[in-house]
Amino acid sequence: FLRASKVLEQGQKDHGSDPRLSAAREKALEAKGAWERSETVRKAIENANARLAQQKPGFAVELLEATLRYYPDDPQLKKALSNATAAFDALRREEAIEMLLGNAQRNLRAREFTIALDALDQGLQSYGADGRLADLRAKVLTAKSDWERTQALLELIAKAREQIAGGQPESALELV
């Protein structure tokens, strides 16, 4: 493009303002602009795809949005941005689910069953069906039920011991 532009400029200097030379120069400049645009778009999409491959969709989105400010009507950029945004949303969803699972696991270990169940129910409502959330919810329900049963048995044993210590073994047997 540079060579063509220089040849056309030299032609205008040598032959004056010929409309054919001016038109050819304009065409060359338009072709150069289209090529530069095409290269910029190609490089932006290539760099965005590299960021997506590195599991960094946020950077891909930023890069594509910046390029779209210069070329807002480019369909390739719009499609690439749509894909990058979807990947970014999926990553944020996955990170949120992982955090929720970690918190619910800690609540389960601390026997804070209601807190864990509330968080998991909210997660299922917010993020839709996710097997990990449903599986942990089932695990929490089972643990809660087991713990409640254990507590009831310990209470029953304590009452029976009180009855026996109070000299009422028959009453202790009636508890069972």
Side-chain angles (χ1 to χ4, degrees):
F1 294 108
L2 184 60
R3 184 171 174 224
S5 179
K6 285 185 178 186
V7 166
L8 291 170
E9 278 181 34
Q10 187 60 44
Q12 280 184 323
K13 285 180 185 175
D14 294 346
H15 303 290
S17 61
D18 185 321
R20 293 174 294 175
L21 288 174
S22 295
R25 186 171 185 276
E26 281 302 313
K27 245 183 173 177
L29 289 175
E30 285 175 17
K32 180 184 178 204
W35 179 82
E36 287 173 345
R37 175 187 175 122
S38 171
E39 278 300 294
T40 301
V41 168
R42 183 189 64 75
K43 287 178 183 176
I45 291 172
E46 187 178 284
N47 289 336
N49 286 337
R51 297 301 176 269
L52 289 173
Q54 296 168 348
Q55 298 298 312
K56 296 179 179 178
F59 291 114
V61 168
E62 288 177 18
L63 174 67
L64 293 167
E65 285 176 342
T67 308
L68 267 167
R69 283 195 273 286
Y70 294 101
Y71 307 112
D73 297 327
D74 190 281
Q76 289 177 310
L77 283 174
K78 287 180 179 181
K79 182 178 181 194
L81 178 60
S82 175
N83 292 340
T85 301
F88 189 42
D89 291 344
L91 179 65
R92 285 193 310 220
R93 178 184 184 273
E94 183 62 27
E95 288 172 346
I97 289 172
E98 287 294 326
M99 185 185 314
L100 192 151
L101 289 168
N103 289 339
Q105 286 282 7
R106 281 188 289 284
N107 294 135
L108 173 60
R109 285 191 297 275
R111 292 190 189 110
E112 296 171 338
F113 304 113
T114 303
I115 295 171
L117 288 170
D118 288 347
L120 290 166
D121 288 341
Q122 180 64 40
L124 285 165
Q125 185 177 2
S126 297
Y127 305 116
D130 184 283
R132 297 167 299 171
L133 294 173
D135 290 347
L136 185 54
R137 186 179 189 285
K139 185 177 177 180
V140 170
L141 285 172
T142 299
K144 181 181 182 203
S145 176
D146 291 347
W147 186 81
E148 288 171 346
R149 219 177 357 266
T150 299
Q151 293 305 306
L153 286 172
L154 289 173
E155 190 177 309
L156 186 64
I157 291 169
K159 286 181 183 177
R161 284 187 178 154
E162 285 178 21
Q163 296 290 332
I164 292 171
Q168 302 171 353
E170 295 83 22
S171 297
L173 287 173
E174 291 175 7
L175 291 173
V176 180

